[in-house]
Amino acid sequence: MLKITSLACLSLFVLRCIGQTASGLVPKKYLSLPLGTIKPAGWLSDQLKVQAAGLAGHEHEFYNYVSDSDWTGGTSAYSDIEEAGSYWFNGLVPTGVLAEDAAIKNQTQSFLDYVLDHQDSTGWIGPEVNTTKPRYLWGRYLFLLGAIQVVEADPSQADRVVGAIWKFVQLANTMLNNNNEGLEEWAEARWMEFALTLQWLYENYPNGQEDLLINMMQKLKSTGSPWEDIFAEANFPKSATDGMTSPFGDLSWHGVNIAEALKSFAVSYRFTQNSTELDVASAAWDIVFQYHGRPSGSFAADEFLAGLEAVRGSELCMVVETMFSCVLTLLVAMVVSRWRRGSYLYQVIGDLKYADRVERITYNALPATLTGNMWSRQYLQQQNQVAAKNMNPDPFPRDGSYSNVFGLEPNYPCCTVNHPQGWPKFVSNAFVVTSDQSSLVHVYLGPYSVNTTLSDNNHVAVTVDTLYPFSDTLTTTVTADKPFTYYIRIPSWTSNGTVSVNDSAVQAVSPSNGLQSVAVAAGTTKITLNLPAEITTEERPHGAIAVHRGALNYAFDIPRNQTVLAQNAQQPLAVDLQFDATAAWQYAINPSTLTFHVGTPEGGKLPSPVFDSGLSPFTISVSACPINWALAGDTFTAAPPQSPACIGSPVNITLSPYGTTRLRISEFPVYSA
Ligand SMILES: *[C@@H]1O[C@H](CO)[C@@H](O)[C@H](O)[C@H]1NC(C)=O
Ligand SMILES: *[C@@H]1O[C@H](CO)[C@@H](O)[C@H](O)[C@H]1NC(C)=O
Ligand SMILES: *[C@@H]1O[C@H](CO)[C@@H](O)[C@H](O)[C@H]1NC(C)=O
Ligand SMILES: *[C@@H]1O[C@H](CO)[C@@H](O)[C@H](O)[C@H]1NC(C)=O
Ligand SMILES: *[C@@H]1O[C@H](CO)[C@@H](O)[C@H](O)[C@H]1NC(C)=O
Ligand SMILES: *[C@@H]1O[C@H](CO)[C@@H](O)[C@H](O)[C@H]1NC(C)=O
Ligand SMILES: *[C@@H]1O[C@H](CO)[C@@H](O)[C@H](O)[C@H]1NC(C)=O
Ligand SMILES: *[C@@H]1O[C@H](CO)[C@@H](O)[C@H](O)[C@H]1NC(C)=O
């Protein structure tokens, strides 16, 4: 059987599978745990509850795109491809499970039941059933990702859900073979989202149809956007794309498509078995961030790739999709085996730059672009953002002037229905298991509890007690039936990190490929990690700098007042908010004076919600002098002035974690005393 050939080839490691005719799916070296196995604890549990109590957890009660009981998906042109309900489902299934919110779980179950009960005899799912509406595949892909999570969290539903997925997949296969029926430009750009479901079926419910699944993956890739060419050095735009024309069509430089496509090589590698794709993946990640990257961890695209200027926008959908692509790339990149000095070395773990980036985006760009209570969200966030309001002139050439308002659906509705996947998918991927299932790896640092069974029937329960990223200390308690090796990722920014097991002598961490291993014994083992970091500065355009320490980017939190621009008639908490600066923000800083401060949170707990002004126990102080720094419109800054003159005496200002700021300067001009 073809599949066996390929597995054998891979398990030997000494063979390169490139060029071999075998088909099949490269197994993942690291496995995800089913949704619900990893639970958020401490402040992170609170964050999920804030999301459940906010717009994400309530929009189905009043928001037209997702409140229709028959999943008609609203009435505007936006609903042509019928993605709204599907997006919502994909993010709310894990929100309900991880926030342990019975009402949300009930709602996602009702939605699932409705959709499956109305699947038509051909296998089609969605609001087109019994209508003459054209049938596009794309809007279904997110529904399928949500349905997979339902099965993981509640295996008792597997028969029914997997049966329905298979029926749809058979229909989709027929459609693809019928002159690519059901594909349009969004489906072509985002082909890998469907391949994920096909790979999940292959691994869990192949029904003897492995060849059909592999053929479909190949078909989707071959009809998909040519991402390898789009990301190639020779073609990739090195600046804002305003006024430029992509040789691959407009959607190839579309921010959310880029964010999703960043995982395409890892997804593709699994069925092409061409490990060069992992190098292409790594280069694609690098080129995006080199030319469009943000200190917040995200990149800039105010609809289309937008370069490095601090007032250009990063879309919320793009933030959560980049996180998800990063999570998946890491899982696959971990299997990479490479040629080194005449022999094939098995690399236990791939490039942990992906994991560092997931943390940066999650702890900076994601919380910054919603209000603390998560009821209002932006479409676009700016790294330097001195006002959030209807902009005139508009700094975003191809997005609306209302894009950085915090509200229900500024600019487009997509981020209202798509943002909920961010936090829960971060949590549900925070630990992975080695493919032999003997070890557990803590990848994304924060407070959690995990209870699972490893190989050899080894029952393991882990709790991680920490305020991280608002603390450097993590206390992990592992209770195991039998000894095993526990791994913890040590972020690349760690400096002088230490580990202590069972309160024994404190030792310097000694990570191998980014992972610290701890030999855990039977019984209860306590692991204490201290992971400090130096303050670092990042060079930005115009001689400006950004300030980081550990996972957090630091910004000057501009004092603000707020104006309610709109309020939903049914849900008064769903407000559109304008923020205006009420104090000066025109400062240059002296980087030699950057000083880190640790406050003591009351009762040892972070406030709820934590991502708002003045709530972080971590701050950085710096000497700053007032400068002339013009606005470029009424509501956004000109580029940071280079080597500005001080126009007043230096003062001491406080920088706060970017994710706690709504108005901010994060790319600062520099002066030296
Ligand atoms: C569950 O959902 C159904 C259908 O929407 C609704 O009638 C019922 O009241 C809900 N129950 C709870 C506990 O929310
Ligand atoms: C579609 O319409 C047919 C004929 O009216 C009906 O029998 C069938 O139940 C409908 N299917 C769904 C899923 O509503
Ligand atoms: C392997 O992948 C690389 C990068 O996508 C591609 O250029 C090359 O043609 C592929 N090789 C084969 C044998 O398909
Ligand atoms: C882990 O789960 C098992 C089975 O559900 C349960 O018996 C056990 O008490 C749990 N352990 C911890 C530490 O939560
Ligand atoms: C840590 O101490 C506990 C209690 O004495 C013991 O059961 C466990 O095996 C120890 N772990 C290690 C790694 O020594
Ligand atoms: C790391 O240790 C060196 C040498 O003791 C010290 O100078 C530096 O400040 C320490 N850095 C951190 C982040 O603790
Ligand atoms: C907010 O502050 C600005 C600047 O001081 C002021 O012009 C504006 O009137 C204030 N708005 C509100 C709603 O207080
Ligand atoms: C700046 O402010 C911080 C926080 O209030 C304080 O700890 C620090 O000593 C101040 N630095 C100077 C130079 O005044």
Side-chain angles (χ1 to χ4, degrees):
M1 210 178 115
L2 292 171
K3 185 184 171 194
I4 291 172
T5 315
S6 76
L7 288 176
C9 148
L10 279 150
S11 63
L12 287 174
F13 304 130
V14 288
L15 291 179
R16 229 176 177 182
C17 295
I18 300 178
Q20 301 214 352
T21 51
S23 68
L25 209 55
V26 177
K28 289 185 198 150
K29 176 65 184 165
Y30 285 78
L31 309 173
S32 311
L33 287 160
L35 173 63
T37 308
I38 304 161
K39 295 187 195 314
W43 78 263
L44 195 48
S45 168
D46 180 72
Q47 188 64 28
L48 269 291
K49 290 191 193 310
V50 169
Q51 170 161 318
L55 178 58
H58 288 280
E59 60 189 77
H60 64 269
E61 296 159 359
F62 67 93
Y63 186 50
N64 60 327
Y65 282 103
V66 288
S67 64
D68 291 348
S69 59
D70 61 352
W71 195 27
T72 54
T75 48
S76 82
Y78 170 70
S79 66
D80 281 357
I81 49 179
E82 296 295 357
E83 61 184 15
S86 210
Y87 266 132
W88 172 87
F89 184 62
N90 179 34
L92 266 292
V93 168
T95 301
V97 171
L98 298 177
E100 298 178 335
D101 189 305
I104 294 176
K105 285 198 231 178
N106 180 37
Q107 193 64 27
T108 53
Q109 186 66 44
S110 304
F111 184 88
L112 177 72
D113 291 343
Y114 185 92
V115 172
L116 297 192
D117 290 348
H118 291 80
Q119 182 168 30
D120 85 3
S121 56
T122 65
W124 189 257
I125 47 178
E128 301 83 0
V129 167
N130 274 358
T131 72
T132 56
K133 288 188 73 167
R135 293 179 167 191
Y136 295 116
L137 289 168
W138 152 247
R140 269 113 288 266
Y141 298 171
L142 302 325
F143 171 77
L144 298 175
L145 295 178
I148 288 173
Q149 296 176 86
V150 169
V151 173
E152 286 184 4
D154 178 6
S156 75
Q157 301 202 52
D159 282 356
R160 174 171 174 249
V161 175
V162 173
I165 295 177
W166 256 115
K167 218 170 146 191
F168 175 75
V169 164
Q170 296 281 9
L171 171 67
N173 185 48
T174 308
M175 290 171 69
L176 291 172
N177 287 330
N178 181 29
N179 203 17
N180 305 325
E181 190 188 339
L183 297 183
E184 38 65 58
E185 56 188 353
W186 297 99
E188 285 162 13
R190 299 169 177 187
W191 66 267
M192 50 279 162
E193 309 292 353
F194 194 17
L196 287 176
T197 293
L198 303 178
Q199 294 183 354
W200 181 81
L201 284 178
Y202 188 104
E203 287 172 318
N204 297 286
Y205 302 94
N207 288 4
Q209 305 255 36
E210 285 89 344
D211 291 348
L212 176 141
L213 292 168
I214 296 286
N215 286 340
M216 280 182 83
M217 292 175 215
Q218 286 163 345
K219 176 84 174 173
L220 288 167
K221 179 178 157 82
S222 68
T223 53
S225 301
W227 288 113
E228 185 195 346
D229 298 331
I230 295 165
F231 283 110
E233 172 78 29
N235 301 325
F236 197 74
K238 315 276 190 311
S239 65
T241 55
D242 317 339
M244 290 162 64
T245 305
S246 170
F248 306 100
D250 226 20
L251 291 191
S252 63
W253 292 346
H254 180 265
V256 185
N257 285 348
I258 292 272
E260 295 185 42
L262 281 168
K263 70 171 141 338
S264 63
F265 307 105
V267 171
S268 170
Y269 160 67
R270 298 199 64 206
F271 60 89
T272 64
Q273 307 177 1
N274 173 354
S275 64
T276 308
E277 299 217 52
L278 295 176
D279 297 330
V280 174
S282 179
W285 281 92
D286 291 347
I287 204 168
V288 168
F289 291 97
Q290 180 178 356
Y291 295 108
H292 306 275
R294 284 289 177 271
S296 68
S298 183
F299 61 94
D302 32 35
E303 219 51 35
F304 300 94
L305 287 170
L308 295 173
E309 293 294 336
V311 295
R312 297 297 294 269
S314 299
E315 183 185 335
L316 172 53
C317 283
M318 206 177 79
V319 168
V320 294
E321 295 293 355
T322 310
M323 286 167 62
F324 185 53
S325 282
C326 221
V327 159
L328 280 161
T329 304
L330 180 69
L331 281 178
V332 176
M334 280 170 155
V335 306
V336 68
S337 50
R338 292 184 190 254
W339 179 253
R340 291 264 192 282
R341 298 187 192 177
S343 67
Y344 283 100
L345 285 188
Y346 186 64
Q347 220 170 292
V348 177
I349 187 145
D351 206 329
L352 282 171
K353 72 181 173 190
Y354 302 116
D356 287 351
R357 183 159 300 282
V358 172
E359 275 192 19
R360 280 197 194 283
I361 302 174
T362 308
Y363 291 148
N364 297 289
L366 178 59
T369 199
L370 290 121
T371 49
N373 67 7
M374 296 190 78
W375 267 101
S376 302
R377 59 89 180 159
Q378 291 177 296
Y379 186 71
L380 300 176
Q381 65 181 293
Q382 299 164 293
Q383 195 76 31
N384 283 352
Q385 180 167 281
V386 301
K389 65 199 299 185
N390 198 13
M391 301 219 161
N392 180 23
D394 181 357
F396 317 118
R398 296 174 75 181
D399 268 322
S401 60
Y402 204 72
S403 293
N404 87 347
V405 166
F406 286 78
L408 174 60
E409 52 170 14
N411 208 47
Y412 288 115
C414 53
C415 301
T416 306
V417 293
N418 191 21
H419 80 270
Q421 69 164 308
W423 284 106
K425 290 199 180 174
F426 175 73
V427 170
S428 62
N429 288 284
F431 288 74
V432 293
V433 175
T434 52
S435 66
D436 64 3
Q437 301 190 32
S438 67
S439 287
L440 195 60
V441 186
H442 187 181
V443 184
Y444 306 123
L445 305 186
Y448 299 94
S449 67
V450 184
N451 184 354
T452 189
T453 304
L454 299 175
S455 58
D456 201 17
N457 207 27
N458 189 7
H459 297 288
V460 172
V462 177
T463 60
V464 185
D465 186 10
T466 184
L467 303 182
Y468 185 95
F470 299 106
S471 161
D472 296 336
T473 308
L474 296 94
T475 306
T476 302
T477 308
V478 185
T479 302
D481 288 355
K482 298 171 187 165
F484 75 101
T485 307
Y486 182 73
Y487 293 100
I488 306 149
R489 168 177 147 270
I490 307 298
S492 63
W493 49 73
T494 304
S495 169
N496 307 345
T498 61
V499 59
S500 156
V501 177
N502 270 358
D503 296 320
S504 65
V506 169
Q507 294 188 318
V509 293
S510 50
S512 167
N513 289 319
L515 297 184
Q516 175 72 34
S517 65
V518 176
V520 164
T524 299
T525 299
K526 183 178 158 199
I527 305 165
T528 310
L529 280 166
N530 187 37
L531 303 176
E534 307 285 355
I535 294 174
T536 59
T537 58
E538 174 189 349
E539 288 179 18
R540 300 299 301 170
H542 313 290
I545 58 169
V547 178
H548 301 274
R549 183 189 178 279
L552 301 178
N553 173 220
Y554 283 79
F556 176 61
D557 188 0
I558 305 172
R560 62 181 189 265
N561 62 19
Q562 92 180 29
T563 307
V564 176
L565 300 174
Q567 188 167 37
N568 183 271
Q570 280 163 272
Q571 174 47 272
L573 290 168
V575 284
D576 285 8
L577 299 175
Q578 167 176 324
F579 295 132
D580 286 289
T582 56
W585 46 264
Q586 297 91 338
Y587 292 109
I589 63 172
N590 176 352
S592 71
T593 64
L594 289 163
T595 310
F596 178 62
H597 304 277
V598 184
T600 312
E602 242 180 76
K605 279 179 62 179
L606 296 172
S608 167
V610 61
F611 287 104
D612 214 336
S613 293
L615 302 181
S616 164
F618 279 2
T619 54
I620 287 177
S621 65
V622 65
S623 290
C625 77
I627 57 166
N628 287 318
W629 183 349
L631 290 171
D634 290 343
T635 53
F636 58 98
T637 66
Q642 197 137 6
S643 313
C646 292
I647 58 169
S649 311
V651 291
N652 184 5
I653 63 169
T654 299
L655 310 186
S656 307
Y658 179 93
T660 67
T661 66
R662 300 298 167 265
L663 299 185
R664 68 185 75 90
I665 295 293
S666 153
E667 296 187 18
F668 297 93
V670 171
Y671 81 98
S672 48

